[in-house]
Amino acid sequence: MALDQKKLMILCAAVCFFCVLLLAVTAFFSRGTDAPKKEQKPAPEKIVKNEKPAPATVREIDQETPEPKKEKASKNKDNKKQKKETPSKKEPGKKEEPVVAPTKQEPQPEVVAPAKQESQGFGFVPAKNGAVLCVVFDDGGQRIDQLKKCLALPFPVTVAVLPRIAHSAQSAALVRQSKNEVILHQPMQSINLNVNPGPGAITPDMSAGEIEATLAQNIAEIAPIAGMNNHEGSLITADEGKVSFILETARQKGIYFLDSRTNSATKIPDVAKQMDMGWYQRDIFLDNQKTRENYLAELKKGLEIANKKGHVIMIGHVWSADTLPAFLEEAYPELALKGYRFAIVSKSGGMMR
C-alpha cells in the first residue's frame, strides 16, 4: 500500500507538472498572439502625428511658389483634411495670403526699365551722319587746378589760352602734354567799351602793322598752336578791315581761325570767303549759366546740330571747372554708346568754306 501511495503521489505530481507546463505553453502562445495587437495600436497614432505637420509643409510650398493666385487654390485642396480638425486655422491662412502678396508685388515698380533709364540716363538721341562733338574750353592761362580738371576728361578737347597772364605759357604746355589741342584765345575789344578785354588785346585804334605785331607776340608766348579764336571782340569781329588783318596773319602763321560768334554781325565768314580761306565757328555756349540743367539743355541742342550737319563746336570755360567737366564726364558713356564721336577742332571736319 505504501508503494501505491508513493506512485499515486508521483502520478499526481506529474499530472500537476504537466498541467502547469500546459498552462505555461498556453500563456506563452497567448502572449505571442496578443503582441502584434499591442504593437499595431500605436500605428494610427504615428499616422495622426505625421498628418499634423501638414500645415507647415503647405506654408513652405506657399513661400516657394511665385504666383499668389495659384497658391490659394492649392491651399484650399491641401487644407480640406484640416477643416474638421483645426477650423481656427482657416483665418490665419487667409491673413497670411495678403501678407505674402504685397512683399512679392513691391519690387515690381523698381524692375520697370523705363523708370531706371529716366532716372539714370540723359535720354540722348542716337547719332546720325557720323556726328562729331568738339568741346572747346576758353580762358585758359588763369588757374592750373581748374585747367587740369578739363584736361582729365576721357575725350580730346581744344583749349584756348589767354596771352600775357600769370600761367599762359605753363597752361599751353600742359595742354600739349595731355595730347590735346592748344589755340590762342586772342583778346579783342567788345562793343561795350567799358569792358577791358585784357592784355595783348586788339583794339579799334590799331593799324594793320600793330595788329600783326600783337598777334605775333601772343602766338610766340604759347606756341606751337593750331589756331586762335576771339575773346570778347564783338566790336572787332564786326569790323571788316580789322578782320582781314587778323585772318591774313592767321594764314601766314599756318593756323586756323575759330569765330566765337560773340556778335551776330560778325564779318569773319564774308572776309574768309573773299580770301578763299576756311574758318570754323562756334555753335553752342555750354555754360552761359553754370547749372546742370543748362548744361544738359545746351548739350542736347548741340547734338541736334551735329546730327544735321555732321559736327558741332561747343564752347565752355575753364572757370566752370567745378561743375562742367564732371557733367561732361558723366554724359560721355551714354554719348559714346549712342554713336557720337569726339574730336579737337582741327580734326572735326567742321571747317566752313
Side-chain angles (χ1 to χ4, degrees):
M1 291 296 294
L3 291 172
D4 293 335
Q5 290 178 354
K6 288 181 179 180
K7 290 179 179 179
L8 182 61
M9 291 177 63
I10 293 170
L11 182 60
C12 291
V15 172
C16 291
F17 176 77
F18 179 78
C19 291
V20 171
L21 181 61
L22 182 61
L23 290 172
V25 172
T26 304
F28 175 79
F29 283 104
S30 62
R31 288 179 182 176
T33 55
D34 293 338
K37 293 179 180 179
K38 292 180 180 178
E39 291 176 357
Q40 291 176 357
K41 289 180 181 180
E45 295 178 0
K46 291 181 180 178
I47 294 171
V48 173
K49 290 178 180 178
N50 290 336
E51 289 177 355
K52 287 181 180 179
T57 58
V58 172
R59 291 178 185 175
E60 292 173 359
I61 294 171
D62 291 344
Q63 292 174 357
E64 293 174 0
T65 52
E67 298 181 3
K69 292 181 179 180
K70 294 181 180 179
E71 291 170 6
K72 293 178 182 179
S74 61
K75 285 181 183 178
N76 292 334
K77 292 179 181 179
D78 295 337
N79 291 337
K80 285 181 180 179
K81 296 180 181 179
Q82 299 175 4
K83 289 180 179 179
K84 294 180 181 179
E85 296 176 359
T86 56
S88 61
K89 290 184 179 179
K90 292 180 180 178
E91 295 180 359
K94 291 180 180 178
K95 291 179 181 177
E96 288 176 1
E97 290 174 4
V99 173
V100 174
T103 56
K104 292 178 181 178
Q105 292 176 357
E106 282 174 4
Q108 291 180 359
E110 298 177 3
V111 177
V112 179
K116 287 188 176 181
Q117 290 176 356
E118 288 175 4
S119 61
Q120 296 179 359
F122 294 95
F124 297 135
V125 296
K128 298 177 183 178
N129 300 320
V132 176
L133 310 182
C134 295
V135 177
V136 179
F137 286 102
D138 278 356
D139 295 346
Q142 296 177 344
R143 287 179 51 177
I144 298 299
D145 59 333
Q146 292 178 335
L147 175 62
K148 287 181 177 179
K149 290 181 180 180
C150 301
L151 299 178
L153 286 167
F155 53 83
V157 297
T158 296
V159 179
V161 178
L162 290 164
R164 309 187 194 187
I165 60 175
H167 303 291
S168 297
Q170 183 184 1
S171 296
L174 285 174
V175 177
R176 284 190 293 270
Q177 185 179 351
S178 67
K179 308 300 182 183
N180 288 293
E181 184 174 61
V182 186
I183 64 175
L184 170 65
H185 195 34
Q186 175 57 49
M188 301 181 189
Q189 183 60 55
S190 66
I191 292 175
N192 184 355
L193 299 178
N194 294 322
V195 175
N196 181 4
I202 296 175
T203 57
D205 57 341
M206 283 184 171
S207 64
E210 290 173 325
I211 291 174
E212 183 180 358
T214 299
L215 289 174
Q217 183 178 345
N218 294 344
I219 291 170
E221 182 182 15
I222 62 173
I225 61 174
M228 67 174 166
N229 70 339
N230 55 293
H231 171 64
E232 303 292 347
S234 56
L235 181 62
I236 301 300
T237 57
D239 185 324
E240 188 171 340
K242 297 290 188 294
V243 167
S244 62
F245 300 149
I246 294 168
L247 292 183
E248 181 59 34
T249 302
R251 178 156 59 185
Q252 291 177 4
K253 297 292 183 181
I255 61 177
Y256 66 77
F257 190 88
L258 166 62
D259 186 0
S260 299
R261 292 190 65 84
T262 54
N263 187 347
S264 59
T266 176
K267 298 299 182 180
I268 299 292
D270 295 336
V271 174
K273 288 178 181 179
Q274 292 171 12
M275 298 175 63
D276 192 22
M277 180 178 174
W279 81 98
Y280 296 92
Q281 66 181 26
R282 183 270 312 169
D283 297 295
I284 295 293
F285 275 122
L286 286 170
D287 56 355
N288 281 341
Q289 297 177 24
K290 284 182 59 177
T291 65
R292 181 183 177 86
E293 292 76 17
N294 179 70
Y295 297 159
L296 180 58
E298 295 301 318
L299 177 57
K300 287 185 174 181
K301 290 179 184 177
L303 299 185
E304 291 179 5
I305 294 171
N307 285 330
K308 287 180 181 178
K309 64 179 187 178
H311 61 271
V312 63
I313 296 177
M314 302 178 288
I315 292 183
H317 294 83
V318 173
W319 41 256
S320 293
D322 54 337
T323 53
L324 181 56
F327 168 78
L328 293 174
E329 185 172 5
E330 184 182 353
Y332 172 72
E334 185 176 342
L335 291 169
L337 186 64
K338 293 297 178 69
Y340 293 96
R341 298 177 297 155
F342 291 79
I344 56 178
V345 173
S346 60
K347 295 183 179 180
S348 66
M351 179 172 283
M352 309 292 289
R353 288 287 183 180

